[in-house]
Amino acid sequence: MSTLQINTVYTGDSCELMKNIKPESLSLSFWSPPYFLGKDYEKDASYESWQSLLKTVISLHYNVLKPGGFLVINIADILSFQDENMPRIMGLNPSNRKCAVTKEMILKVKEEHPEFNRRQIATVLKCSEQTIDRRLNGNNIRGGRYATGTHVKLVGGNLEQYAYEAGLFLYDKRIWKKDPAWANSKWTTNTLKAVSETEDLYIFWKPGEYLVNRDRLSSTEWKEWGHRQIWEIPSVRANNIHPAMFPIELARRVIRLFTDEGDTVLDPFLGSGTTAIAAIETKRNFIGIEMMKKYAELAIANIEKAKVIYQNNR
Ligand SMILES: C[S@@+](CC[C@H](N)C(=O)[O-])C[C@H]1O[C@@H](n2cnc3c(N)ncnc32)[C@H](O)[C@@H]1O
């Protein structure tokens, strides 16, 4: 395949297509990968396949970033996935019990009617056979303490290692303070864990000179977010067109902080096209890669609309 062109969306796998980007042509790559949460584009992902995807894509960056260029990854700080090797722990939550039948009540019926089977005991106590089983054996066949354990894993260490192995160095980290992600929460009723309210921006640098251009932002912007670690930006509420869009303001800030007009920005997980739209708006070039045809088409449609709005304003 020939070299990827700027201001173009490509449909395909970044692990392959990134090999066709002109070497040392990018000032910035900004993206948010699959988070391994069971969205439609990651249905078949395992922790191992997720690791391999991130490792491959990060390693391909060394060749395509300019010396002094930046790779900025937006990702939640922890992953959670089922892991057979984890202890099978479940918090006890008595208030969550829908059926008032206790183990003592079952034992009493058994004492009075030793000949009763599980179904008959359930009939007397007006509950399900499953409840009888659960109370007697502590056996929750729908999950709970006998379900495979959940592995909660910090993400930053993996990214830092993959980047380091690729010749890129951790330069900075920002925190995006977003809305609470209830929908993504694997836990609410039976744990004491918090719902995720922040995501990280890991900033990696390819050794080389880079410009510290104070004119990229106004003095108010430098004070309000340029120098600040925590960026408070509302999440994208509507996810009816794509399930995991980041807000355009996040892309705008990263692009304006790390690049100048005319530079080229890559997003190898383009989704609905947010990074490309922010690039158009800020007079940068983009290259977008998206694996799923329906999202690549959506990105192209969104980009066309953005071109009409912003390029007419130039
Ligand atoms: C978290 S979403 C990115 C959303 C995007 N930032 C936006 O605002 O719309 C990740 C995207 O990466 C795509 N994707 C997953 N694996 C990919 C791969 N190997 N190559 C290219 N795209 C991939 C998914 O289809 C999904 O649209």
Side-chain angles (χ1 to χ4, degrees), residues 78-306:
I78 49 176
L79 289 175
S80 68
F81 55 94
Q82 303 312 115
D83 183 346
E84 286 293 344
N85 300 317
M86 292 303 288
R88 300 177 176 199
I89 304 171
M90 182 178 145
L92 294 177
N93 186 349
S95 62
N96 203 28
R97 250 188 207 169
K98 292 189 185 72
C99 173
V101 171
T102 62
K103 186 173 180 177
E104 289 65 38
M105 288 159 75
I106 299 169
L107 292 177
K108 191 156 175 286
V109 176
K110 268 172 107 52
E111 202 183 294
E112 288 164 7
H113 303 280
E115 74 287 5
F116 272 16
N117 62 24
R118 199 175 59 173
R119 184 178 53 75
Q120 290 165 310
I121 301 171
T123 308
V124 171
L125 291 172
K126 298 189 176 55
C127 66
S128 68
E129 288 183 52
Q130 194 185 44
T131 300
I132 303 293
D133 199 44
R134 243 186 262 147
R135 299 290 187 270
L136 288 180
N137 306 317
N139 180 11
N140 185 349
I141 52 177
R142 280 189 299 192
R145 78 181 70 184
Y146 285 87
T148 306
T150 301
H151 195 144
V152 178
K153 177 131 187 47
L154 287 172
V155 171
N158 287 40
L159 302 188
E160 188 184 15
Q161 184 199 329
Y162 305 152
Y164 189 76
E165 286 166 4
L168 306 171
F169 295 87
L170 188 62
Y171 176 85
D172 196 10
K173 179 177 159 262
R174 310 258 173 158
I175 294 165
W176 166 30
K177 185 176 181 310
K178 56 175 189 171
D179 305 339
W182 297 108
N184 289 347
S185 178
K186 293 261 194 265
W187 45 71
T188 43
T189 21
N190 283 330
T191 83
L192 304 170
K193 296 169 189 170
V195 166
S196 166
E197 288 183 84
T198 64
E199 293 194 11
D200 289 320
L201 296 176
Y202 288 96
I203 300 153
F204 298 102
W205 165 71
K206 175 170 170 177
E209 279 180 5
Y210 56 91
L211 205 60
V212 182
N213 181 357
R214 305 292 302 172
D215 295 335
R216 284 176 184 164
L217 311 182
S218 68
S219 57
T220 313
E221 286 173 322
W222 279 113
K223 268 192 227 119
E224 286 179 353
W225 58 268
H227 290 306
R228 301 291 296 275
Q229 195 187 15
I230 299 175
W231 291 354
E232 193 164 346
I233 304 171
S235 312
V236 177
R237 290 287 174 91
N239 62 1
N240 49 339
I241 51 168
H242 186 285
M245 293 181 281
F246 51 45
I248 190 155
E249 178 60 13
L250 197 68
R252 250 184 230 132
R253 287 188 187 186
V254 172
I255 290 173
R256 292 187 56 213
L257 195 57
F258 292 104
T259 65
D260 286 300
E261 287 185 15
D263 284 346
T264 300
V265 181
L266 169 71
D267 186 338
F269 297 101
L270 188 65
S272 62
T274 313
T275 304
I277 295 163
I280 292 168
E281 191 189 315
T282 55
K283 303 188 175 79
R284 275 68 168 173
N285 298 307
F286 71 86
I287 295 175
I289 305 174
E290 168 56 48
M291 185 179 65
M292 289 187 74
K293 193 164 170 278
K294 66 174 176 180
Y295 296 140
E297 285 170 357
L298 172 68
I300 291 168
N302 288 340
I303 288 165
E304 288 310 312
K305 280 187 221 149

